[in-house]
Amino acid sequence: MLLLSAAVLSLSLVFTGLLRSFVRQEQSADLIKAAEEIRANMEKGSDGFFMPYYITYAVWEWGTLDAVHTNDPFLPHLPLTDGNAKLYLQKDFFIDGDLNILYYATDCILSDGKGYQIETAMNMDSDTSSLLLKGVPSTLARIVIPVLILSFLVSLIITRNTMRPVVRMTERARRIGSENLGETLPVRHKAQAMDENDALAATFNDLFARLKADFDREKAFTSDVSHELRTPVAVILGQAKLLLRWGKDDRAQTEKSLSMIIKETHSMESTIENLLQMSRLESGRQLPKSEQFSVADLLSQIAEETRSLAEEASVSVDCPPELVLRSDRELLHQALTVVTSNSVKFCRAAGREPAITLEAAGEGERLVIRAGDNGPGFSPEVLPHVFERFYRGDGAHNRKAGGSGLGLSIAQIIVTVLGGRISAGNREDGGEIQGAVMTMVLPL
């Protein structure tokens, strides 16, 4: 408002200056025109000059200070004005006041060879335009300044009332930290009647809720990582102590301990590598490629690799040979490998020979890939958590099932990066679970 007030005052001053300049130009033009008419009449030999009432004039012959023509005997002989009208002010010129005039003075030589100085003037103290202009600044000051002060006060009140909710939100936000992310900013109205401040508060509340969810997830993730790495570290430490105590004399113990250390080291290496890949995919540091390939060829390759992993496994592929996909073949291969490896692992754990089916079909603009097995499937309490990191389907997070519990989490991240989605379910027959089914939906 202070800047606006300064701008309004500046514009008022500029307007007044331009108006004064315009009026002055008009007055100057009137004086010049009057002087030209006097010269024309003198050339004709006329002694009568008809001037507007507000213009006084005097004509002096060169070499004398006597006016040969005038309608104002008090108009003094003044210097030439060089083609423009000029202001002239002389204090106490009259007994009751000053001489304040705008005058125009020019020389002229008539056809008879005589030279004269013609002077026209108007009294600025009685000119209506000049009097109006003189009153413009004070009038503007009396009108504009109170309006600006009033508008400033009104704006100040409105701004304070408007900003009060923002101030409260700011104070509340300052008190929110990692330990109390569950707190929310005040929202005064319901969703249908929200104003801008309520919308801002609701947006921040949503942000805090997402931050809290991320923060809680990271805390759980850190705890799970600590748990996962603590076990192999404890095993490695225990085997190293056995080597120090018995390894020098017991060759069998040495080989057993070294084998256990190598196994646990590989387990830790796999966990760390998986975590690094998940971090690269989630942060966008590893971007998917774009290449066109045959889906049938990819599924056939997965089938061959699965058979080489488990010779007892049977893998069937059902996919149209002409079906092609533009995506990152290597990442999709990795996600499918995770799914089939899980099927083999859990079928074996259930004492069954793995029977895996890989099906793919185009549905509109989407590719749907289904990988099913004849394993134990997912129990209802496990199904919502299968894509959580380090989740192995039991509350104790034991290591009997093998693996690090990151496989399906990586598969989900890969499919998401490729622009699709993955879901888990069961094959059922008469209400009885016949095996697990993983479904991937990708854009063609």
Side-chain angles (χ1 to χ4, degrees), residues 289-319:
K289 303 174 185 175
S290 179
E291 55 184 329
Q292 189 167 300
F293 55 90
S294 168
V295 179
D297 289 346
L298 175 61
L299 295 184
S300 297
Q301 179 184 351
I302 296 293
E304 290 296 325
E305 292 174 353
T306 304
R307 294 188 191 101
S308 65
L309 175 68
E311 295 181 356
E312 76 278 15
S314 64
V315 185
S316 62
V317 176
D318 182 9
C319 176

Side-chain angles (χ1 to χ4, degrees), residues 28-44 49 51 83 104 106-108 110 118-120:
S28 178
D30 287 345
L31 294 177
I32 294 174
K33 181 179 178 182
E36 291 296 328
E37 290 180 358
I38 291 173
R39 182 184 182 283
N41 287 334
M42 289 177 63
E43 189 70 46
K44 295 176 182 178
F49 309 120
M51 295 288 107
Y104 172 75
T106 183
D107 282 338
C108 72
L110 301 182
I118 302 175
E119 185 178 315
T120 54

Side-chain angles (χ1 to χ4, degrees), residues 110-296:
L110 301 182
S111 55
D112 58 6
K114 291 184 178 180
Y116 299 90
Q117 177 178 321
I118 302 175
E119 185 178 315
T120 54
M122 60 177 63
N123 189 345
M124 303 304 290
D125 290 332
S126 60
D127 181 70
T128 304
S129 299
S130 299
L131 292 176
L132 287 174
L133 282 175
K134 190 179 295 183
V136 167
S138 59
T139 303
L140 284 175
R142 287 195 296 270
I143 295 175
V144 174
I145 292 178
V147 171
L148 289 176
I149 293 175
L150 180 61
S151 62
F152 176 79
L153 293 175
V154 171
S155 299
L156 185 62
I157 294 172
I158 293 174
T159 303
R160 283 185 174 178
N161 290 334
T162 304
M163 295 302 294
R164 189 173 290 116
V166 179
V167 172
R168 287 199 295 267
M169 282 192 289
T170 304
E171 292 174 351
R172 180 76 68 84
R174 284 199 187 101
R175 297 196 297 268
I176 296 177
S178 59
E179 68 282 353
N180 58 341
L181 281 173
E183 290 193 18
T184 58
L185 301 180
V187 179
R188 297 178 300 171
H189 304 98
K190 295 182 179 179
Q192 296 81 1
M194 279 188 179
D195 57 15
E196 291 80 1
N197 291 325
D198 291 333
L200 179 63
T203 302
F204 274 113
N205 289 339
D206 181 62
L207 172 63
F208 292 147
R210 285 185 279 118
L211 286 175
K212 185 177 186 302
D214 291 342
F215 190 73
D216 291 342
R217 184 166 56 251
E218 291 303 318
K219 284 174 64 178
F221 175 72
T222 303
S223 175
D224 289 341
V225 170
S226 174
H227 181 276
E228 290 298 320
L229 295 182
R230 185 184 297 115
T231 301
V233 167
V235 172
I236 292 172
L237 183 59
Q239 294 300 322
K241 289 181 178 179
L242 284 176
L243 284 175
L244 284 175
R245 183 177 301 175
W246 310 107
K248 297 176 183 179
D249 304 321
D250 190 342
R251 183 176 180 83
Q253 181 63 46
T254 300
E255 291 180 357
K256 179 181 177 182
S257 296
L258 289 176
S259 297
M260 188 68 70
I261 289 173
I262 291 172
K263 177 183 175 183
E264 295 299 329
T265 302
H266 284 319
S267 174
M268 291 176 62
E269 182 182 29
S270 175
T271 299
I272 293 171
E273 182 59 33
N274 287 335
L275 290 172
L276 287 175
Q277 183 180 18
M278 293 171 69
S279 175
R280 287 193 295 266
L281 289 170
E282 288 180 322
S283 64
R285 293 196 302 272
Q286 181 177 343
L287 299 176
K289 303 174 185 175
S290 179
E291 55 184 329
Q292 189 167 300
F293 55 90
S294 168
V295 179

Side-chain angles (χ1 to χ4, degrees), residues 324-342:
V324 294
L325 175 67
R326 178 170 289 278
S327 187
D328 191 317
R329 192 181 192 278
E330 182 180 347
L331 286 179
L332 184 56
H333 174 275
Q334 183 178 353
L336 288 169
T337 300
V338 167
V339 171
T340 54
S341 298
N342 266 12

